[in-house]
C-alpha cells in the first residue's frame, strides 16, 4: 500500500464566496440568473446552429462544441454553489470533491484547446480560402474536437490520479466555493511537491501550446488580410475574427492569474475572485459575444423568430414600417451640388406641383423621375448620385491622395423625427444637462474649498468632474438647439471639432478611471507607503498622462478623418458627429480609418480595463485578509463609488467601439450614446456624493455655513 492514499477525511467543508449571511440570498439570486442565462444562451446557440443549414460550416461546428463545453463547465460548479448559499453546512464528500476537480480540469483544458482550433480554422479560411473546404473537412473537424476533449481528459486524469495519492488526515476546510487542486493541496498532510510541479508543467504547456497556435494563426491572418486589395474584403475578413478574439481575450485574461505559477506563490483569495469570472461569467458571455457580434447568427435568429411568430411579427413590423415612412420625409432635404472641370450637370426645380421630385444628373438611364419621391426612392437616388460622383473622382489621378470635399455642412437626423416628442425630450435633456453641470461643478468647488478633501482620491475625482462637465457640453447645447429647428445642420469644421473634443474627453475619462483604480490599490494594499507613492507630483503626472493619451488618440483619428473626401450624401444618422457614421458618408477608401479605430479602441480599452481589473483583484485579496468586519466594510466603502462609475462607463462603451465597421449598427450606437454622453456625466457626481460619507459631510458643513447668520 506504499505510495497510495491513506485518507481519514470523508468530507470537505467549503468556505464559499463570503461568510456574510446578509449576502447569501442576493448572491443566490444573482448566480441563479447567471446560470439560467448561461443555459438558455448556450443551448439556444446549439439549437440555432443545428436547425439552420447556413450555419453548417466548420466555424459554427466548433462554436456548437464550445457552447456545449460551456454548459458542462458551468454545471460543474453552479448547482452545488447555489445549494450551499441556502445551507448552513456547506459540505462536499471526498469523492464528490475529487469528481468536481476532475471535470473542472477536463472542461477548462478542452475549452482552451477548442479556442486554439477555432483560431486555426479562421487562419485556414482567410489565408487559404481556395483550399479551405479541402483542409477543414468534416472528418478533420471531428478529429480536432475529439483531440480537444482527449487533451482535457489526459490533463485532468494525470492531476486527479496524483491527487488521489495524497493523504488528507488533518483540516478539511476548503477556502473556496468549489474543489480546485491548489486549495486541496494546502490541506494535504503529504508532500505535495510533485502535484505542484505537475500543475505548473501541465498548465504551462497547455497555455503556451494553445496561445502559440492562436498567435501564429492571427499573425498569418493579419498578413493575409493586408494582401486583400478591396476594402470590403478586408472588412469581411476582420469581421469573422472579432467574436473569437473577444472570447480568447476574456478566457486567457481571467485564467492567467490562476495557474501559471507555483503553489508556494499561490493566493487563495486572488484565485477565488478570478474564478468567479472564469467559471461563471465567461460561459454566460460566450453565446452573447457570438450572437450580438456575428451577422450570420443574428440573421439565423431573425429567420427563426420570423418562422415561429409570423402573424404577430408581421403586424408589428407593418405598423412600425408605416409610421417610419410617414415621418422620414420630414428629415430629408436634397442639396446636391456637383463640381467637375470636365462635365456639367443638368439642374432643375426640386419641387413641382406640390410633390417632391428628383432630377437625375449624369445617371444615364432616364432624365427625370416621373413618380413622387418616396423615402425609399429618395434614398436610392441619393446613393446613385454618390456613386456617380465617386466614380468621377476616382478618374482624377491628381486627386488620388488629396482631400476633395464638396460637402460644407452635415444634416443631423437626431434622436427622433416625431414632432410630439421633441418638446418632452428638450425638457428632459435640458434637466439632465443642468443637473450634470451643477453636480460636476459643485463637486469641483466642494473639493477645492474643503481641506479634508485635499487627498489624491479627490484630486482625481475633481478632474473627473471637470472632464464630465466639458464632455456633456460637447453634445448637449447643439442637441437642445436642434430640437427646435427644422433642419439640424452643422458645418463641416464644427463637426470635426465636435468629434475631436468628444474622443479627447472620452479617452481621458477612461484613463482617469484606471488611475483612480490604481490609487485605490495603493491606498488599500500598501497603506503605509500610500503617501510616499501617491505624491502630488505623481497625481499631477497621472492626470496629465490621461489628458495627453486622450489628445493623441483624438488627433490620430481626426487627422485620418480630414484626409477623407466627402462628396456625396451629407445626412448623419446620429445626434452628434461620431467617426463610424462619418465614415459611411465618405467617398474615399476608409479601411485604414476603420483599422485605426479598431486598434486604438481595443488597445486603450484593454490597457484601462486590465489596470482596473488587476487593481481590484489585489484590492479584494487584501480586503479578505483584514480580520475585522468593520475594517473590511470601511475598505469596501472607499471602492464602491468608483466600481459603480467604472461599470457604467465600460458597460455602455463596450457596445460601440470594439468592433469592425462592417458589423456597426448606427441605431444601436445612437441609443447607447445617449447614455454615455448625457446620463453618465450626470450620474457620476451623484454616485460619489450619495455613496461617500466624506463628501456628504462636506456638503452638510457647506450648507450649515450658508445658513448661519452674520
Amino acid at each position: 500500500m506504499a505510495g497510495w492514499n491513506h485518507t481519514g477525511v470523508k468530507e470537505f467543508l467549503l468556505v464559499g464566496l463570503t461568510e456574510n449571511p446578509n449576502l447569501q440570498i442576493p448572491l443566490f439570486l444573482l448566480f441563479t440568473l447567471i446560470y439560467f442565462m448561461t443555459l438558455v444562451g448556450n443551448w439556444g446557440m446549439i439549437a440555432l446552429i443545428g436547425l439552420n443549414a447556413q450555419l453548417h460550416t466548420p466555424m459554427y461546428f466548433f462554436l456548437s462544441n464550445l457552447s456545449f463545453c460551456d454548459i458542462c463547465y458551468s454545471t460543474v460548479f453552479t448547482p452545488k454553489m447555489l445549494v450551499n448559499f441556502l445551507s448552513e453546512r456547506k459540505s462536499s464528500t471526498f469523492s464528490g470533491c475529487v469528481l468536481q476537480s476532475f471535470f473542472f480540469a477536463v472542461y477548462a483544458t478542452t475549452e482552451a484547446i477548442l479556442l486554439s482550433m477555432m483560431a486555426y480554422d479562421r487562419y485556414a479560411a482567410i489565408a487559404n480560402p481556395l483550399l479551405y473546404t479541402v483542409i477543414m473537412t468534416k472528418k478533420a473537424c471531428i478529429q480536432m474536437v475529439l483531440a480537444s476533449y482527449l487533451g482535457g481528459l489526459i490533463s485532468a486524469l494525470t492531476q486527479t490520479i496524483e491527487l488521489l495519492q495524497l493523504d488528507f488526515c488533518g483540516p478539511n476546510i476548503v477556502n473556496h466555493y468549489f474543489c480546485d487542486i491548489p486549495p486541496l493541496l494546502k490541506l494535504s498532510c503529504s508532500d505535495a511537491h510533485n502535484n505542484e510541479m505537475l500543475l505548473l508543467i501541465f498548465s504551462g504547456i497547455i497555455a503556451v501550446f494553445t496561445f502559440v497556435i492562436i498567435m501564429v494563426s492571427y499573425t498569418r491572418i493579419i498578413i493575409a488580410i493586408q494582401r486583400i486589395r478591396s476594402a470590403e474584403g478586408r472588412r469581411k475578413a476582420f469581421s469573422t475574427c472579432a467574436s473569437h478574439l473577444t472570447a480568447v481575450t476574456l478566457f486567457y485574461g481571467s485564467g492567467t492569474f490562476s495557474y501559471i505559477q507555483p503553489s508556494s506563490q499561490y493566493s487563495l483569495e486572488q484565485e477565488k475572485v478570478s474564478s468567479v469570472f472564469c467559471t461563471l461569467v465567461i460561459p454566460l458571455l460566450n453565446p452573447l459575444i457570438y450572437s450580438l457580434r456575428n451577422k450570420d447568427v443574428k440573421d439565423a435568429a431573425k429567420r427563426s423568430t420570423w418562422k415561429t411568430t409570423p402573424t404577430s411579427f408581421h403586424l408589428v413590423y407593418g405598423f412600425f414600417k408605416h409610421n417610419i415612412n410617414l415621418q422620414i420625409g420630414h428629415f430629408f432635404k436634397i442639396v446636391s451640388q456637383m463640381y467637375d472641370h470636365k462635365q456639367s450637370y443638368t439642374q432643375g426645380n426640386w419641387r413641382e406641383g406640390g410633390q417632391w421630385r428628383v432630377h437625375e444628373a449624369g445617371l444615364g438611364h432616364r432624365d427625370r423621375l416621373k413618380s413622387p419621391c418616396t423615402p425609399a426612392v429618395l434614398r436610392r437616388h441619393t446613393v446613385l448620385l454618390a456613386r456617380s460622383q465617386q466614380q468621377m473622382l476616382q478618374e482624377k489621378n491628381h486627386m488620388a491622395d488629396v482631400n476633395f470635399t464638396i460637402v460644407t455642412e452635415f444634416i443631423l437626423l437626431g434622436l427622433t423625427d416625431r414632432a410630439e416628442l421633441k418638446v418632452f425630450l428638450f425638457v428632459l435633456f435640458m434637466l439632465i444637462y443642468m443637473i450634470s453641470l451643477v453636480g460636476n461643478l459643485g463637486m469641483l468647488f466642494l473639493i477645492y474649498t474643503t481641506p479634508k478633501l485635499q487627498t489624491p482620491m479627490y484630486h482625481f475625482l475633481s478632474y473627473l468632474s471637470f472632464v464630465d462637465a466639458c464632455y456633456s457640453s460637447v453634445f448637449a447645447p447643439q442637441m437642445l438647439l436642434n430640437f427646435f429647428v427644422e433642419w439640424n445642420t452643422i458645418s463641416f469644421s464644427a463637426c470635426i471639432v465636435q468629434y475631436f473634443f468628444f474622443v479627447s474627453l472620452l479617452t481621458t475619462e477612461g484613463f482617469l478611471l484606471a488611475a483612480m483604480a490604481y490609487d485605490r490599490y495603493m491606498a488599500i494594499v500598501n497603506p503605509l507607503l500610500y503617501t510616499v507613492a501617491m505624491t502630488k507630483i505623481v497625481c499631477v503626472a497621472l492626470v496629465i498622462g490621461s489628458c495627453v493619451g486622450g489628445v493623441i488618440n483624438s488627433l490620430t483619428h481626426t487627422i485620418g478623418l480630414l484626409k477623407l473626401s466627402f462628396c456625396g450624401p451629407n445626412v448623419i444618422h446620429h445626434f452628434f458627429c461620431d467617426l463610424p457614421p462619418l465614415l459611411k458618408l465618405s467617398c474615399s477608401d476608409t479601411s485604414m480609418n476603420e483599422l485605426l479605430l479598431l486598434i486604438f479602441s481595443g488597445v486603450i480599452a484593454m490597457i484601462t480595463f486590465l489596470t482596473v481589473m488587476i487593481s481590484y483583484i489585489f484590492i479584494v485579496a487584501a480586503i479578505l485578509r483584514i480580520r475585522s468586519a468593520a475594517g473590511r466594510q470601511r475598505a469596501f466603502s472607499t471602492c464602491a463609488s468608483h466600481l459603480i462609475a467604472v461599470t457604467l462607463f465600460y458597460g455602455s462603451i463596450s457596445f460601440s467601439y470594439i468592433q469592425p465597421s462592417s458589423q456597426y449598427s448606427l441605431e444601436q450606437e445612437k441609443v447607447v450614446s445617449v447614455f454615455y454622453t448625457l446620463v453618465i456625466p450626470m450620474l457620476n457626481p451623484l454616485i460619489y456624493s450619495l455613496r461617500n460619507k466624506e463628501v456628504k459631510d462636506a456638503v452638510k458643513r457647506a450648507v450649515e455655513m450658508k445658513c448661519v447668520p452674520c
Side-chain angles (χ1 to χ4, degrees):
M1 296 295 291
W4 192 251
N5 176 287
H6 299 279
T7 297
V9 174
K10 300 299 181 184
E11 66 176 12
F12 292 100
L13 299 178
L14 300 171
V15 174
L17 283 174
T18 179
E19 298 177 16
N20 189 341
N22 297 325
L23 293 177
Q24 303 291 330
I25 299 299
L27 288 177
F28 172 81
L29 297 175
L30 173 64
F31 291 126
T32 300
L33 178 63
I34 290 175
Y35 182 54
F36 176 77
M37 292 174 65
T38 300
L39 292 181
V40 171
N42 285 287
W43 280 121
M45 182 66 71
I46 293 171
L48 199 65
I49 293 170
L51 295 174
N52 286 271
Q54 187 183 352
L55 302 182
H56 291 173
T57 62
M59 181 176 77
Y60 294 106
F61 173 75
F62 289 118
L63 178 56
S64 63
N65 281 278
L66 182 69
S67 294
F68 176 75
C69 188
D70 280 334
I71 291 169
C72 300
Y73 187 53
S74 60
T75 305
V76 170
F77 317 100
T78 315
K80 180 65 177 174
M81 184 178 65
L82 294 176
V83 171
N84 287 342
F85 278 129
L86 304 179
S87 303
E88 209 171 313
R89 182 180 173 83
K90 303 172 183 178
S91 62
S92 178
T93 63
F94 181 86
S95 57
C97 201
V98 172
L99 281 174
Q100 190 180 56
S101 174
F102 169 77
F103 284 112
F104 164 64
V106 169
Y107 292 116
T109 308
T110 301
E111 182 156 349
I113 301 175
L114 269 177
L115 287 171
S116 65
M117 296 297 105
M118 294 171 77
Y120 176 77
D121 170 71
R122 291 299 83 210
Y123 154 73
I126 295 172
N128 298 296
L130 299 179
L131 298 175
Y132 179 63
T133 54
V134 179
I135 297 172
M136 300 302 294
T137 61
K138 187 174 182 180
K139 182 179 178 181
C141 293
I142 293 173
Q143 288 174 347
M144 292 167 75
V145 169
L146 290 176
S148 301
Y149 282 99
L150 184 62
L153 190 63
I154 292 172
S155 174
L157 270 176
T158 306
Q159 296 182 52
T160 305
I161 290 171
E162 284 296 317
L163 182 65
L164 288 172
Q165 294 184 21
L166 298 179
D167 292 330
F168 295 88
C169 49
N172 65 338
I173 299 176
V174 179
N175 189 20
H176 217 313
Y177 64 89
F178 71 96
C179 294
D180 196 8
I181 291 178
L184 290 175
L185 296 183
K186 297 285 186 181
L187 302 180
S188 175
C189 49
S190 305
D191 183 8
H193 178 72
N194 290 337
N195 302 75
E196 295 171 5
M197 290 302 299
L198 272 176
L199 179 62
L200 178 63
I201 292 170
F202 270 82
S203 301
I205 290 175
I206 292 167
V208 170
F209 173 74
T210 55
F211 189 73
V212 166
I213 291 177
I214 292 169
M215 290 302 295
V216 172
S217 298
Y218 275 102
T219 302
R220 299 294 298 272
I221 286 171
I222 292 171
I223 293 171
I225 289 175
Q226 292 303 316
R227 295 197 187 106
I228 300 174
R229 294 185 178 181
S230 68
E232 185 64 29
R234 288 195 293 270
R235 281 196 296 266
K236 192 177 295 182
F238 268 118
S239 67
T240 62
C241 304
S243 300
H244 180 257
L245 272 174
T246 307
V248 166
T249 304
L250 289 172
F251 183 82
Y252 281 94
S254 59
T256 302
F257 299 100
S258 300
Y259 297 104
I260 314 300
Q261 54 184 328
S263 182
S264 58
Q265 298 179 5
Y266 193 84
S267 169
L268 287 173
E269 290 79 11
Q270 175 182 315
E271 158 62 6
K272 191 186 295 187
V273 174
S274 61
S275 293
V276 172
F277 191 83
C278 193
T279 60
L280 297 170
V281 181
I282 287 180
L284 164 70
L285 293 179
N286 279 343
L288 297 177
I289 293 167
Y290 280 99
S291 59
L292 295 176
R293 308 177 78 84
N294 190 299
K295 188 175 183 297
D296 290 338
V297 175
K298 287 192 286 187
D299 290 343
K302 287 178 182 177
R303 285 194 299 272
S304 299
T305 306
W306 188 282
K307 290 177 182 178
T308 53
T309 57
T311 305
S312 59
F313 189 81
H314 282 124
L315 288 173
V316 175
Y317 174 79
F319 173 79
F320 279 103
K321 181 178 178 182
H322 174 72
N323 281 279
I324 290 171
N325 284 335
L326 287 176
Q327 297 294 334
I328 198 167
H330 296 291
F331 282 88
F332 279 86
K333 176 185 179 182
I334 303 176
V335 182
S336 178
Q337 296 178 349
M338 300 183 178
Y339 296 89
D340 192 272
H341 296 290
K342 297 181 180 179
Q343 299 182 15
S344 62
Y345 294 90
T346 304
Q347 295 184 357
N349 296 325
W350 291 100
R351 187 174 178 88
E352 294 180 8
Q355 289 183 324
W356 288 99
R357 300 179 183 273
V358 176
H359 284 214
E360 296 185 5
L363 299 180
H365 61 281
R366 59 175 180 254
D367 294 327
R368 180 174 296 187
L369 180 68
K370 301 299 183 181
S371 60
C373 183
T374 64
V377 174
L378 180 57
R379 286 195 297 271
R380 182 169 64 85
H381 286 280
T382 303
V383 172
L384 290 173
L385 288 170
R387 288 177 180 173
S388 176
Q389 290 177 316
Q390 185 175 356
Q391 290 171 0
M392 288 182 289
L393 285 172
Q394 290 173 348
E395 294 173 358
K396 300 179 181 180
N397 295 328
H398 67 284
M399 298 300 291
D401 297 319
V402 183
N403 176 288
F404 185 71
T405 297
I406 294 175
V407 174
T408 58
E409 66 178 12
F410 293 103
I411 299 173
L412 299 170
L413 289 188
L415 285 173
T416 180
D417 56 357
R418 296 180 61 181
E420 64 271 17
L421 289 178
K422 290 190 174 182
V423 175
F424 170 75
L425 290 177
F426 173 82
V427 174
L428 174 64
F429 291 128
M430 173 65 79
L431 180 63
I432 290 174
Y433 182 51
M434 294 303 297
I435 294 174
S436 178
L437 286 182
V438 171
N440 285 290
L441 296 179
M443 180 69 72
L444 195 64
F445 174 78
L446 196 67
I447 290 171
Y448 280 99
T449 57
T450 306
K452 191 177 180 181
L453 301 182
Q454 303 296 322
T455 62
M457 183 177 76
Y458 294 106
H459 171 78
F460 290 118
L461 179 56
S462 65
Y463 281 98
L464 183 68
S465 297
F466 176 74
V467 168
D468 279 336
C470 298
Y471 185 53
S472 58
S473 298
V474 171
F475 316 101
Q478 175 75 29
M479 186 179 66
L480 293 173
L481 178 64
N482 288 342
F483 281 125
F484 291 101
V485 295
E486 185 178 357
W487 293 106
N488 306 336
T489 59
I490 183 171
S491 67
F492 180 85
S493 56
C495 192
I496 298 298
V497 170
Q498 186 185 57
Y499 172 72
F500 170 78
F501 282 109
F502 159 61
V503 178
S504 297
L505 295 167
L506 179 70
T507 311
T508 300
E509 181 157 353
F511 282 124
L512 275 176
L513 288 171
M516 294 171 75
Y518 175 73
D519 170 71
R520 291 298 82 208
Y521 157 76
M522 292 301 301
I524 295 173
V525 179
N526 298 301
L528 299 179
L529 299 175
Y530 179 63
T531 55
V532 178
M534 299 301 293
T535 61
K536 189 173 183 179
I537 296 176
V538 172
C539 294
V540 172
L542 287 171
V543 171
I544 293 175
S546 301
C547 296
V548 170
V551 171
I552 291 173
N553 181 42
S554 182
L555 272 176
T556 304
H557 295 304
T558 305
I559 292 171
L561 186 61
L562 288 171
K563 290 184 178 180
L564 300 178
S565 297
F566 295 89
C567 48
N570 64 338
V571 178
I572 298 177
H573 196 266
H574 217 313
F575 63 90
F576 72 96
C577 294
D578 196 7
L579 185 60
L582 286 173
L583 295 182
K584 297 285 186 182
L585 302 180
S586 175
C587 48
S588 305
D589 182 9
T590 61
S591 59
M592 186 56 65
N593 301 76
E594 294 167 6
L595 185 60
L596 280 174
L597 178 63
L598 180 65
I599 292 172
F600 272 75
S601 301
V603 170
I604 291 170
M606 191 61 64
I607 291 172
T608 54
F609 186 71
L610 284 179
T611 302
V612 173
M613 287 298 295
I614 292 171
S615 298
Y616 273 101
I617 285 172
F618 283 103
I619 286 170
V620 172
I623 289 174
L624 291 175
R625 294 193 193 102
I626 300 174
R627 295 184 178 181
S628 66
R632 288 195 296 269
Q633 184 179 359
R634 190 180 302 114
F636 270 121
S637 66
T638 62
C639 306
S641 300
H642 180 258
L643 269 175
I644 295 172
V646 166
T647 303
L648 290 173
F649 182 80
Y650 283 100
S652 56
I653 292 294
S654 59
F655 293 100
S656 300
Y657 297 103
I658 315 301
Q659 55 181 328
S661 181
S662 59
Q663 294 185 3
Y664 191 85
S665 169
L666 288 173
E667 288 76 16
Q668 172 185 312
E669 162 64 7
K670 190 188 295 187
V671 174
V672 177
S673 296
V674 172
F675 192 79
Y676 71 74
T677 58
L678 297 169
V679 180
I680 286 181
M682 176 191 71
L683 292 179
N684 279 344
L686 298 177
I687 292 168
Y688 280 98
S689 59
L690 296 176
R691 302 185 64 87
N692 192 301
K693 187 175 183 297
E694 292 175 343
V695 174
K696 287 192 286 186
D697 291 342
V699 171
K700 288 178 182 178
R701 286 195 296 271
V703 172
E704 288 172 358
M705 289 177 64
K706 290 280 185 181
C707 295
V708 173
C710 298

